[in-house]
Amino acid sequence: MRWSHYYLYTTREVPADAEVPSHRLMLRAGLIRKTAAGIYTYTPFGWRSLAKLKAIVRREIDRAGGLEMSMPMVQPAELWKKSGRWQRYGKELARLEDRHGREFCLGPTHEEVITTMVGRDLSSFRQLPINLYQIQTKFRDEIRPRFGLMRGREFLMKDAYSFHTTAECLDTTYQAMAAAYRKIFEACHLDYTMVEADTGAIGGSDSHEFMVLAQTGESEVVHNATDGYAANVEKAEIGALRAPAQEEAVDRREVATPGASTVKEVAELLGVDVLKVVKTLLYQTDQGVVAVVMRGDREVNEVKLQNLLDAEFVAMANEAAVREATGAPVGFAGPIGLAEGVRLIADESVRPLTNFVCGANKDDAHFTGVNWGRDAEPDQWADLLLAAAGDPSPLGGGELVSSRGIEVGHIFKLGTKYSEAMGCDFHSEGGGKEPMIMGCYGLGIGRTVAAAIEQNHDEDGIIWPIPLAPFQLLLLSLNAKDEAVTAAAEALYGQFQEAGIDVLFDDRKERPGVKFKDADLIGIPIRVVVGAKSLAEGQVEMSLRRTREREMVAKEGVLARVRELLAAPA
RNA sequence: CGGGGCGUAGCUCAGCCUGGUAGAGCGCACGGUUCGGGUCCGUGAGGCCGGAGGUUCGAAUCCUCUCGCCCCGACCA
């Protein structure tokens, strides 16, 4: 491709709203343009990179037995009402009406559509298992889109759905898809990790996420290198915490704690360790108001809470609700004397505490010397602790380490949640009718490309991994008016094209400085520079974007050298 | 949805407080210059100052409403 005839416009300045490197560089390098908040246009240049990733994804999913298809982006409300998600999905589901007033939504995912289709077409165990996938534009009306393609509202995603007669069969496909994902991310040369995950709004049992490790990632993951445990922090289990020393029970006393509404303030005021202070958090849920007692220095994992309650939503109670439940302003809640009907759940971390401090459900007052059994008893004990770096791994390998990741893939065992709702049954060998057992497998296309940039860039621009680079090679001709240079560059361009190499030929009438800056910015892995001085000696300069190592190569030997570099592991 | 901020040339922004002829840099066009790391000089095109209403002799500037965008939070295959 000749740059002079191509659609590739770089910018020196950045729109001020780009905060993370991938977003900034994708705009500057002319890969994407913003059309609306969280909605982007992919330029021809950017689209090439996405196309490369799509090809890798297709290759691996096809090998894993997937069959490519395509489903509509606009879906009838009827299907979503049938699965119950029309109500449950919330405002993220973009809804619209057609001219007749019929309700539709923009598909954020496609369980309803695929399950309905498979349910109609397949009816026998003999037709199973089957694994269908598509690469398609999704729409989720995110509350706050940000970071360019990392969290857009409209985005490209590969989603696959598998249908089975048995859990074992589902597991086989699940493992095969996990293996395919590994191959995909390895083929992209990404530093990633697979972690246990919560199933969220999609539902189901087993679930794993594929995280590309990056500081700018929106998810926190914890892992332990010794025992191999790795999980999204939302899901993470924790080994036994060190138990505090047991004390002889003392009398419970109410003490004045004016203005001390945080654990830290209370601990300081009373001169005790924060570990001695418990906090009681009030949540509003569709199951009613819930009070959670948590160790003073730790956070509640709201996902664990939601799963425990089997709740549709869980949110911190507002001030009015807190007052109603505790009779006190925020900051003085405790497990003793809560309003009627408030469910009290205590985290396991506070179980071994003796003579602890908690709010007195009274303005400016706390209790000291509180003991379980004698003074209070929760309706339920549970693990609601949000894992943190330094916690013991549940597998016993020592401390958990925390890192940040970009969620690029998420696979689920759905079970029969959708097949039952949508009536997707099969006749079993025994003649009975059973719901199909399903799995689903998502992979963010744009997000993966953004993650690749997040992991591969420097201060000058993108450093594409060869498999995702829009072009493999950038041929750069310096002196446009020098006939010998032009002729040599044209000859090389012809050779590269003939050899089937993805080449971008910078034949623009620009100064060398501009071309070099652009070359660094757009990050094509291999660069070949034809300039007057070296050409006089029959040589051209070759270099790699990643290492910046330069070498002079006789112009006759360039093609062979390029082939060598492309074959080498990146 | 709560809190904060911003909408002025294609892009990045100044001007607004204290109302009086709409600006800069980059980009673009033209001429010259330069030619291995975003040359330099000159000329020029380009803006119902997001939209509506109000105050005023007069509004980019003050007031009200509205739309859009961004940041923090809650949220999230």
Side-chain angles (χ1 to χ4, degrees), chain A residues 404-416:
Chain A
R404 301 201 71 80
I406 301 163
E407 180 195 343
V408 290
H410 199 162
I411 60 178
F412 301 79
K413 286 184 183 176
L414 292 174
T416 56

Side-chain angles (χ1 to χ4, degrees), chain A residues 198-307:
Chain A
D198 184 70
T199 52
I202 294 278
S205 51
D206 278 13
S207 175
H208 289 86
E209 286 170 333
F210 290 80
M211 296 282 189
V212 168
L213 300 176
Q215 284 188 330
T216 47
E218 291 192 275
S219 305
E220 187 182 350
V221 299
V222 291
H223 79 277
N224 179 280
T226 310
D227 61 28
Y229 185 74
N232 188 312
V233 72
E234 291 177 347
K235 169 77 177 181
E237 310 281 322
I238 298 157
L241 294 171
R242 199 151 45 111
Q246 298 289 303
E247 294 173 9
E248 195 73 22
V250 299
D251 288 344
R252 170 156 64 95
R253 287 201 308 132
E254 185 183 312
V255 295
T257 52
S261 60
T262 68
V263 168
K264 195 166 163 245
E265 287 163 359
V266 171
E268 274 170 19
L269 186 72
L270 301 177
V272 300
D273 195 307
V274 289
L275 293 178
K276 274 287 187 193
V277 181
V278 305
K279 57 186 172 189
T280 305
L281 302 164
L282 278 299
Y283 286 91
Q284 267 163 328
T285 79
D286 51 295
Q287 314 281 308
V289 176
V290 174
V292 175
V293 185
M294 175 55 65
R295 215 170 85 169
D297 62 329
R298 300 300 298 259
E299 302 298 320
V300 171
N301 183 330
E302 293 186 8
V303 173
K304 283 185 180 175
L305 177 61
Q306 188 162 0
N307 289 339

